[in-house]
């Protein structure tokens, strides 16, 4: 049996008309479609490669095809971690069966793939259902209602093509990360009424003067039924912390959705005294949007936060407060046990590490698994999410304008990324490309096209691109089009230079773009060539010395270290097979910590220093916060001490709430233990409101 998770709507209220549903005509019968089901299709599938590309001609998608030549795998799955297929990039097939309930006959049944790399063609019961081509990191949904056999077994077949392709992004072999083929993110069936809420966008902007949140709610409603649907829409907003309803929107005018049509409906609402989302206070709200009519009901729940990140002058302002941000980038798909098919526990493992590293700001080279963004929403990490346009080779051989197919593919991926991820409060910027040679005419025009479309779709969110072509004539670079300037700087590593050269580079950027913040979008040390052998001491020294330069420039609004982990890549300079990698991180492929991990944690902490004096187990601690990078006010923090006695046994814990500490502030804190003996040691931690430690100090007598 397939596992099913039922999400109950307010069935009684909707059926009674209390949520704005129209009264039923005399003798009419309401269709009970108030239960939405999500049926998971992860787990066991059958898999085989198709190196000769004969599967479609031989009808491998047919329901009567023998599976003797197929092997069992578990989806999410990538074949790139299997020794037999680690270097295989091309066509492969997946198949499985699933049951349908006869109760679904009056419903709409859709299948959602959260990502397939990179081209997927889908058949249901031997009939073509659709294709999602050359877009390997975004989700897609197909309506398969008309292809199903009710109350019996059904077959799904998926043809996947992962071959390097010059008509998509990443273009050809230009990318430098794990190029993993397969159905590598979750798959599920969505069973709803024939008329349903397809998507809801929430624009939630704080009014910093009044404290209210101004909401614009745009719902996209679809009717797959054979007759027009008539009814009303309503919504309510729930405080994610208390579970209390804080806003309702009902008694809206009735409307009609024609058969086969999709209709957008927009609503405005005010959230009184909104809790503002912040990386230290990731307050969330849930919006439940419902439609109710004689032909059925449906509701969709989305999560959002109220926050505002502005690039004003040469600084970032989060909810009106000046902040200088710091973080580290993680390259997904790098654990050779999982590849890109990462399980939830590994996503949590890595991002717990990012929080422990004091990461409050990160970027990613391609649209991420929604579980990544959900984590960042709940625990507080600002994210720049990017379309996968990487490297100078993206525009090799092009004239003054980029090739049409590359532009269209970029626009399609941008639209799908924004449509799926725009409600995530953690996503504060759209990244439009990376290291593409922004002074090269086709690259410049491509960035301009992406920027125009991003601003059309999502005008209030910041946009940028990570440039490594700003050393000379920066004013000619596409970076100047963006809301803030991003520079990938590897002075003394990837390219020659000194710390003095780095300082001059930053000054040149500020002179070229005096009204825009500068973000170090990458810096670090890679053991990627023979003249740069691995040595973690290089990574640690680079961190300290480059950070010192950034801190000396008040127009540097953020810095993102590259990177958290050594990462798998088809380009990889080290290792073979599934271990082909670039050694670039503060942890290895399996997450084992290097010495540079602790250096990055200290460098990224908002706490500059923490010292302790013991007066007969009454400790006085001096805490000082940074006034440069990173820089932000500490609110809701705590100081925790753990007393270790004989045998290094923890015997007592004490905590004290800290007052608000502004950047560059210094306070004294007293923490007293009841123990009479001399401690073997005492560990002190400055704790964020999210529970993660921002700074640790180990005191010994």
């Amino acid at each position: 049996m397939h596992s099913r998770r039922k999400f109950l709507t307010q069935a009684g209220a909707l059926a009674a008309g209390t949520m704005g549903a129209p009264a039923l005509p005399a003798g009419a019968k309401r269709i009970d479609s108030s239960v939405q089901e999500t049926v998971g299709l992860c787990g066991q599938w059958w898999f085989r490669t198709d190196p000769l590309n004969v599967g479609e001609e031989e009808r491998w998608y047919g329901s009567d095809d023998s599976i003797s030549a197929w092997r069992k795998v578990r989806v999410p799955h990538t074949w790139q971690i299997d020794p037999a297929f680690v270097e295989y990039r091309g066509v492969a097939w997946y198949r499985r069966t699933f049951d349908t309930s006869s109760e679904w006959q009056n419903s709409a049944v859709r299948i959602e793939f959260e990502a397939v790399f990179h081209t997927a063609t889908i058949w249901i019961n031997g009939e073509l259902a659709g294709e999602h081509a050359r877009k390997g990191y975004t989700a897609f949904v197909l309506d398969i209602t008309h292809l199903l056999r009710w109350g019996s077994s059904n077959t799904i077949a998926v043809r996947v093509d992962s071959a390097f392709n010059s008509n998509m992004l990443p273009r050809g072999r230009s990318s430098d990360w794990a190029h993993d083929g397969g159905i590598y993110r979750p798959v599920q069936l969505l069973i709803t009424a024939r008329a349903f809420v397809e998507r809801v966008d929430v624009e939630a902007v704080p009014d910093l003067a009044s404290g209210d949140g101004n909401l614009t709610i745009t719902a996209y409603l679809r009717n797959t039924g054979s007759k027009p649907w008539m009814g009303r829409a309503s919504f309510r907003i729930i405080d994610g912390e208390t579970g209390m309803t804080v806003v309702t929107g009902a008694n809206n005018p009735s409307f009609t959705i024609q058969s086969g049509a999709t209709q957008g409906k927009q609503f405005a609402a005010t959230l009184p005294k909104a809790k503002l989302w912040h990386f230290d206070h990731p307050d969330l709200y849930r919006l439940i949007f419902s439609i109710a009519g004689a032909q059925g009901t449906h509701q969709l729940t989305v999560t959002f936060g109220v926050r505002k990140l502005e690039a004003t002058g040469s600084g970032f302002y989060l909810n009106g407060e000046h902040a200088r941000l710091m973080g580290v980038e993680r390259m997904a798909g790098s654990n050779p046990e999982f590849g890109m098919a990462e399980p939830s526990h590994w996503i949590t493992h890595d991002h717990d590490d990012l929080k422990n590293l004091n990461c409050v700001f990160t970027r990613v080279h391609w649209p991420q698994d929604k579980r990544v963004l959900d984590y960042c929403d709940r625990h507080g990490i600002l994210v720049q999410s990017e379309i996968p346009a990487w490297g100078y080779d993206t525009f090799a051989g092009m004239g003054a304008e980029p090739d049409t197919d590359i532009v269209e593919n970029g626009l399609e991926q941008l639209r799908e990324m924004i449509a799926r991820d725009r409600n995530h409060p953690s996503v504060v910027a759209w990244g439009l490309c990376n290291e593409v040679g922004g002074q090269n005419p086709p690259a410049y025009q491509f960035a301009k096209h992406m920027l125009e479309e991003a601003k059309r779709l999502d005008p209030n969110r910041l946009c940028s691109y990570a440039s490594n072509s700003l050393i000379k004539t920066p004013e000619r670079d596409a970076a100047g089009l963006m809301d803030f300037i991003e520079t990938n700087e590897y002075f003394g590593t990837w390219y020659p230079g000194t710390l003095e050269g780095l300082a001059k580079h930053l000054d040149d950027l500020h002179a070229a773009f005096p009204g825009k913040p500068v973000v170090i979008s990458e810096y670090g040390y890679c053991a990627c060539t023979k003249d740069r052998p691995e040595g973690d001491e290089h990574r640690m020294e680079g961190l300290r010395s480059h950070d010192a330069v950034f801190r000396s420039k008040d127009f540097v609004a953020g810095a993102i270290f590259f990177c958290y982990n050594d990462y798998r890549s088809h380009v990889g300079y080290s290792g073979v097979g599934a271990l082909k990698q670039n050694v670039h991180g503060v942890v290895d492929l399996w997450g084992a910590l290097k010495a540079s991990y602790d250096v990055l944690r200290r460098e990224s902490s908002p706490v500059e220093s923490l010292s302790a004096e013991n007066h007969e187990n009454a400790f006085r601690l001096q805490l000082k916060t940074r006034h440069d990078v990173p820089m932000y006010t500490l609110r809701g923090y705590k100081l925790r001490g753990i007393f270790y006695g004989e045998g290094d046994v923890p015997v007592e814990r004490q905590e004290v709430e800290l007052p608000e500490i502004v950047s560059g502030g210094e306070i004294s804190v007293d923490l007293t233990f009841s123990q009479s003996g001399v401690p073997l040691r005492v560990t002190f931690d400055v704790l964020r409101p999210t529970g993660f430690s921002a700074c640790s100090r180990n005191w010994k007598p």
Side-chain angles (χ1 to χ4, degrees):
M1 293 293 292
H2 304 303
S3 61
R4 296 178 181 174
R5 293 177 288 129
K6 296 190 176 182
F7 299 93
L8 298 178
T9 66
Q10 300 150 316
L14 291 169
T18 59
M19 294 296 287
L24 292 176
K29 181 179 180 181
R30 188 181 302 277
I31 299 172
D32 182 12
S33 52
S34 59
V35 176
Q36 174 177 308
E37 290 191 64
T38 300
V39 179
L41 292 184
C42 295
Q44 182 179 305
W45 286 60
W46 294 96
F47 168 80
R48 67 183 298 187
T49 57
D50 186 8
L52 300 179
N53 196 18
V54 297
E56 193 165 356
E57 181 181 350
E58 296 181 2
R59 298 178 58 86
W60 290 4
Y61 54 80
S63 58
D64 57 349
D65 182 62
S66 170
I67 60 172
S68 59
W70 301 60
R71 62 170 65 190
K72 291 180 181 179
V73 298
R74 293 192 66 81
V75 166
H77 171 262
T78 174
W79 63 79
Q80 242 70 50
I81 62 171
D82 187 327
F85 306 118
V86 69
E87 298 294 343
Y88 178 70
R89 293 178 174 90
V91 176
W93 290 72
Y94 293 84
R95 283 191 50 175
R96 68 163 290 164
T97 58
F98 62 93
D99 294 333
T100 58
S101 169
S102 57
E103 298 175 356
W104 297 353
Q105 292 187 62
N106 293 319
S107 301
V109 181
R110 294 169 291 157
I111 187 167
E112 178 185 38
F113 292 84
E114 294 187 18
V116 179
F117 192 82
H118 54 71
T119 295
T121 310
I122 295 93
W123 288 263
I124 302 293
N125 295 324
E127 298 294 326
L128 182 65
E131 182 181 60
H132 188 250
R134 297 178 298 282
K135 298 184 287 288
Y137 303 103
T138 50
F140 61 98
V141 178
L142 300 173
D143 189 334
I144 59 172
T145 312
H146 60 295
L147 301 175
L148 295 175
R149 301 166 181 158
W150 305 113
S152 64
S153 180
N154 294 260
T155 300
I156 178 172
V158 182
R159 178 186 184 272
V160 177
D161 186 355
S162 74
F164 292 107
N165 189 305
S166 294
N167 303 108
M168 60 170 280
L169 299 171
R171 187 183 183 211
R173 296 176 179 267
S174 68
S175 64
D176 182 14
W177 58 76
H179 195 98
D180 287 357
I183 306 175
Y184 70 96
R185 291 182 187 162
V187 190
Q188 48 266 333
L189 297 178
L190 309 175
I191 301 95
T192 67
R194 290 292 177 96
F196 55 88
V197 185
E198 190 169 41
R199 188 176 107 221
V200 179
D201 296 342
V202 182
E203 185 77 17
V205 180
D207 183 327
L208 299 177
S210 69
D212 296 340
N214 297 321
L215 309 183
T216 302
I217 301 164
T218 306
Y220 297 89
L221 314 173
R222 184 177 175 192
N223 179 16
T224 63
S226 59
K227 298 179 181 179
W229 183 96
M230 186 177 70
R232 287 191 173 96
S234 62
F235 61 87
R236 63 189 180 104
I237 297 172
I238 298 170
D239 184 312
E241 181 180 20
T242 66
M244 301 295 292
T245 297
V246 291
V247 173
T248 58
N251 301 318
N252 297 304
S254 62
F255 57 91
T256 300
I257 312 173
Q258 297 299 323
S259 174
T262 298
Q263 184 177 133
K265 302 289 289 185
Q266 193 167 92
F267 305 84
T270 299
L271 187 57
K273 302 302 178 185
K275 298 177 180 178
L276 301 188
W277 190 95
H278 183 281
F279 52 77
D280 273 338
H281 302 274
D283 291 300
L284 297 171
Y285 292 91
R286 295 195 312 276
L287 181 140
I288 302 174
F289 193 94
S290 305
I291 58 172
Q295 299 103 314
T297 65
H298 181 235
Q299 70 177 22
L300 184 67
T301 299
V302 298
T303 300
F304 70 95
V306 183
R307 61 101 185 94
K308 187 175 189 178
L309 181 68
E310 301 169 280
T312 303
S314 59
F316 280 147
Y317 290 81
L318 179 58
N319 299 329
E321 181 180 12
H322 188 204
R324 300 175 73 183
L325 308 170
M326 205 162 177
V328 58
E329 182 174 352
R330 168 190 181 257
M331 295 291 276
S334 291
N335 187 319
E337 306 302 320
F338 313 125
M340 282 289 190
E342 295 181 322
S344 295
H345 75 82
W346 190 250
I347 290 173
T348 298
H349 166 277
D350 279 7
H351 287 83
D352 281 351
D353 253 4
L354 263 60
K355 289 295 295 184
N356 191 54
L357 286 165
N358 287 303
C359 175
V360 299
F361 183 36
T362 190
R363 58 181 282 253
V364 289
H365 279 58
W366 61 88
Q368 298 291 288
D369 192 306
K370 68 180 182 181
R371 293 170 292 179
V372 169
L373 300 182
D374 287 344
Y375 181 102
C376 295
D377 288 347
R378 295 191 312 272
H379 297 95
I381 300 177
L382 304 172
V383 180
Q384 175 175 303
S385 184
E386 301 180 3
I387 57 174
W390 188 92
Y392 288 99
D393 288 348
T394 301
F395 303 101
M398 299 185 190
E401 291 286 333
D403 289 354
T404 301
D405 55 356
I406 292 298
V407 174
E408 286 305 312
N409 184 259
L411 290 172
E412 289 174 11
Q413 295 198 53
L414 178 70
R415 290 166 188 149
E416 293 183 5
M417 177 177 70
I418 292 176
R420 193 201 69 172
D421 296 338
R422 64 180 300 155
N423 289 341
H424 289 279
S426 59
V427 178
V428 293
W430 300 123
L432 306 180
C433 37
N434 176 76
E435 297 188 359
V436 294
Q439 298 185 37
N440 185 23
Y444 187 102
Q445 292 302 320
F446 175 87
K448 185 178 179 182
H449 286 308
M450 297 304 112
L451 178 64
E452 291 170 351
E453 183 68 356
K455 290 297 185 181
R456 183 185 73 82
L457 294 171
D458 192 12
N460 292 323
R461 197 173 253 113
L462 299 178
C463 293
S464 193
Y465 105 92
S467 176
N468 69 339
S469 50
L470 291 166
I471 300 294
K472 298 179 181 179
T473 61
E475 66 280 357
R476 296 173 52 190
D477 199 274
L481 303 171
M482 305 297 162
D483 294 315
F484 58 97
I485 307 302
E486 289 190 318
T487 180
N488 289 359
E489 74 84 3
Y490 288 99
F491 277 80
T493 56
W494 276 111
Y495 43 84
T498 62
L499 294 176
E500 292 75 19
L502 168 59
K504 182 181 184 302
H505 169 62
L506 296 178
D507 287 337
D508 290 345
L509 292 183
H510 185 50
F513 311 107
K516 295 185 178 184
V518 173
V519 169
I520 314 302
S521 39
E522 288 184 31
Y523 70 113
Y525 177 83
C526 179
C528 298
T529 59
K530 290 182 179 179
D531 61 317
R532 288 194 297 277
E534 173 55 10
D536 203 39
E537 64 277 4
H538 300 306
R539 202 162 286 113
M540 292 185 281
E541 173 55 28
L543 259 168
R544 296 187 184 103
S545 60
H546 286 231
D547 286 354
V549 177
F550 307 155
R551 290 180 174 130
S552 71
K553 310 295 181 182
D554 59 6
F555 53 83
V556 172
I560 301 172
F561 184 76
F562 191 82
C563 64
Y564 162 68
N565 49 348
D566 297 342
Y567 63 94
R568 293 178 56 250
S569 171
H570 67 91
V571 175
Y573 294 91
S574 300
V576 296
L579 299 182
K580 197 171 185 181
Q581 63 185 281
N582 287 330
V583 181
H584 218 313
V586 298
V587 306
D588 70 10
L589 295 180
W590 285 276
L593 277 53
K594 305 178 187 178
S596 54
Y597 180 100
D598 287 334
V599 176
L600 178 59
R601 170 170 156 77
R602 289 194 297 272
E603 287 288 307
S604 302
S605 174
V607 178
E608 184 175 292
S609 63
L610 178 65
S611 61
E613 293 181 357
N614 185 15
H615 303 280
E616 296 181 353
N617 295 342
F619 284 82
R620 169 151 290 193
L621 294 103
Q622 292 291 126
L623 187 155
K624 183 179 180 181
T625 61
R626 296 189 190 275
H627 67 282
D628 36 47
V629 182
M631 181 191 80
Y632 43 89
T633 299
L634 276 57
R635 294 187 179 91
Y637 280 59
K638 295 180 181 179
L639 179 69
R640 181 184 67 196
I642 300 178
F643 187 111
Y644 287 80
E646 186 177 350
D648 204 25
V649 175
V651 295
E652 186 176 352
R653 180 178 64 186
Q654 293 289 343
E655 282 186 358
V656 61
E657 293 184 359
L658 297 177
E660 182 175 298
I661 313 172
V662 299
S663 58
E666 188 169 2
I667 64 168
S668 296
V669 184
D670 294 325
L671 202 64
T672 302
F673 295 94
S674 64
Q675 304 298 309
S676 59
V678 177
L680 184 70
R681 64 187 176 98
V682 180
T683 62
F684 295 100
D685 281 278
V686 179
L687 300 176
R688 295 179 183 272
T690 52
F692 291 91
S693 171
C695 176
S696 300
R697 166 82 162 87
N698 196 29
W699 180 92
K700 291 183 178 181

